[in-house]
Amino acid sequence: MRSPLRSPASTTLLGGFALLLLAGTALAQPALDESRYVEQVLTLSLEARIAGLEAALGRAEAVGAGLWPNPSLEWERQKTSSGTRAGESQDVLMASIPLVLSGRLGLEKQAAERNASAAEARHEWVRAGLRHEATRAFAAVLAARERRSILEQSLAELRRLAEAIATRERAGEAAGYDRLRIELEAATVQDALRGAVLDEHQAEAQALRLLGPGVTVLPPFEGSLQVERPLPEGAALLAELGERRGDLRALALEASGAEAARRAAGRSWIPEPTVQAGAQFLDVGQPGAGAGYVVGVGLPLPLFDRRQGEAARAEARRGLAEARHEALLHEARTRLAVVLNAVSGRRERLARHRADVLGRAQELRQIAATAYRGGGADLLVLVDAERASREARLTTVELVVSLVEAETDLLLLAGAYDGATPRSATR
């Protein structure tokens, strides 16, 4: 039976020639750190493009709102064809313009501008979500590669130990149990390595997807998994959520725009007269032709239709936007308090793990290696120390990833990823 210690690395088994070709292509691309990768996502992703076009549509819908009605020009010719005044004609040229004296145009323009600003705020929130997702995707790739590297290093160490125990077994200094034990340990690590490679491929595929269809090969990544991120803090954090977060600002602007639209519809009870003026030409081109003038005023009477439906719909939109804003603000404040505790708790746990577990595991590994070289420890003691060190390093990666997730959640919930600049200080 072939020993699993002699099988090739799982990266070669699972990657294949396609990965080698992709890696060769990726090396030609400039390496991206976290900030450059996030900017690439915000520039190239389809989600960013759709969000930008939706914001442009919101701005376009406000174009032309609140403008004065166009004047009209009319020409009319009247001519008799029979009777005692046959052949007489009359030409009337009239110009008219409505006079909007109610002030509704200014309110309609204000409502359109608020809705356009709400579209911009929603655009900022979508970009904030993309920044949050891209940051996590970048960290996931680095974490997957770190896990794979840890397992590869541990597997290489176990193979080296297996060679040493095989030499001792041939010399009659070791039993078959020792060989089987280390083979089992190596097979377990190799199986975990296969899973780590699959996780790495999945993380890279997600990171590549965010870059849009124009990028077919994931560029190389550089940087550390854990970076110092300026996190918002202070008592004003909860109070400024409405100013920081684009989704909350969008709902507030929608409510304000709906209120302006309601007020504009409520001005419809004020009549908007139409002023007319023009000239009258009699028997043009005939002897005795004459001219005169025409003036007039049209006054609509808003007795029945006073845009009651528009006012009711605007009032309903305002109430709905305010209710959504209140519910979202309550949810944001509740979740933000939880995430703040999660960040502090995960930071403390990571620091304690590094001091109490990781440091001791590395020290144990060094002591076991020294004792083995001096003949004071069995080879399996060294295997156990290697396993403890490996598990401690893998746990460190998991704790760092969980901290990154908590920090990015905090930045998203607090509105730090949005385009608005808050007044509170950051550390």
Side-chain angles (χ1 to χ4, degrees), residues 112-165:
E113 290 175 348
R114 298 288 171 81
N115 290 333
S117 298
E120 290 288 352
R122 286 192 296 269
H123 179 222
E124 292 178 3
W125 178 246
V126 172
R127 287 175 60 86
L130 276 176
R131 189 179 296 275
H132 172 264
E133 186 178 3
T135 303
R136 282 194 165 197
F138 185 89
V141 171
L142 294 187
R145 292 175 178 176
E146 182 66 19
R147 294 188 198 98
R148 173 181 54 81
S149 176
I150 292 172
L151 292 171
E152 286 177 342
Q153 294 172 13
S154 182
L155 184 59
E157 180 64 20
L158 289 173
R159 286 174 175 169
R160 187 185 65 80
L161 296 178
E163 293 175 358
I165 204 170

Side-chain angles (χ1 to χ4, degrees), residues 165-184:
I165 204 170
T167 302
R168 292 180 58 187
E169 185 178 1
R170 287 192 296 268
E173 299 177 357
Y177 171 82
D178 294 342
R179 177 179 57 81
L180 291 176
R181 176 65 183 84
I182 198 170
E183 285 181 355
L184 175 61

Side-chain angles (χ1 to χ4, degrees), residues 82-97:
S82 63
T84 58
R85 306 183 64 179
E88 294 183 1
S89 64
Q90 177 178 261
D91 293 89
V92 180
L93 184 63
M94 294 283 295
S96 62
I97 182 171

Side-chain angles (χ1 to χ4, degrees), residues 398-420:
E398 297 302 325
L399 292 178
V400 171
V401 171
S402 67
L403 177 58
V404 171
E405 292 176 350
E407 289 180 343
T408 53
D409 285 345
L410 174 60
L411 291 172
L412 178 67
L413 292 173
Y417 284 147
D418 293 71

Side-chain angles (χ1 to χ4, degrees), residues 11-227:
T11 52
T12 305
L13 290 175
L14 296 174
F17 295 105
L19 282 180
L20 294 177
L21 293 175
L22 291 178
T25 307
L27 290 176
Q29 304 183 41
L32 300 178
D33 59 9
E34 180 183 296
S35 61
R36 288 198 294 269
Y37 171 72
V38 171
E39 290 304 320
Q40 289 283 336
V41 171
L42 294 177
T43 303
L44 302 176
S45 69
L46 292 177
E47 293 86 348
R49 179 186 176 189
I50 293 173
L53 292 175
E54 289 177 346
L57 176 60
R59 293 190 298 268
E61 290 177 348
V63 175
L67 296 180
W68 198 266
N70 292 323
S72 62
L73 185 64
E74 301 177 8
W75 170 75
E76 181 180 308
R77 181 178 179 84
Q78 301 174 357
K79 185 174 182 180
T80 58
S81 57
S82 63
T84 58
R85 306 183 64 179
E88 294 183 1
S89 64
Q90 177 178 261
D91 293 89
V92 180
L93 184 63
M94 294 283 295
S96 62
I97 182 171
L99 301 180
V100 184
L101 306 178
S102 62
R104 66 172 179 84
L105 295 181
L107 292 172
E108 290 177 355
K109 182 178 181 180
Q110 182 182 10
E113 290 175 348
R114 298 288 171 81
N115 290 333
S117 298
E120 290 288 352
R122 286 192 296 269
H123 179 222
E124 292 178 3
W125 178 246
V126 172
R127 287 175 60 86
L130 276 176
R131 189 179 296 275
H132 172 264
E133 186 178 3
T135 303
R136 282 194 165 197
F138 185 89
V141 171
L142 294 187
R145 292 175 178 176
E146 182 66 19
R147 294 188 198 98
R148 173 181 54 81
S149 176
I150 292 172
L151 292 171
E152 286 177 342
Q153 294 172 13
S154 182
L155 184 59
E157 180 64 20
L158 289 173
R159 286 174 175 169
R160 187 185 65 80
L161 296 178
E163 293 175 358
I165 204 170
T167 302
R168 292 180 58 187
E169 185 178 1
R170 287 192 296 268
E173 299 177 357
Y177 171 82
D178 294 342
R179 177 179 57 81
L180 291 176
R181 176 65 183 84
I182 198 170
E183 285 181 355
L184 175 61
E185 185 73 16
T188 302
V189 174
Q190 193 167 30
D191 180 70
L193 179 57
R194 293 189 185 98
V197 172
L198 292 176
D199 293 340
E200 181 181 359
H201 293 167
Q202 183 177 359
E204 289 177 345
Q206 173 65 10
L208 179 61
R209 182 194 67 80
L210 291 176
L211 290 174
V215 181
T216 58
V217 178
L218 184 67
F221 285 174
E222 63 180 8
S224 173
L225 177 60
Q226 186 178 12
V227 297

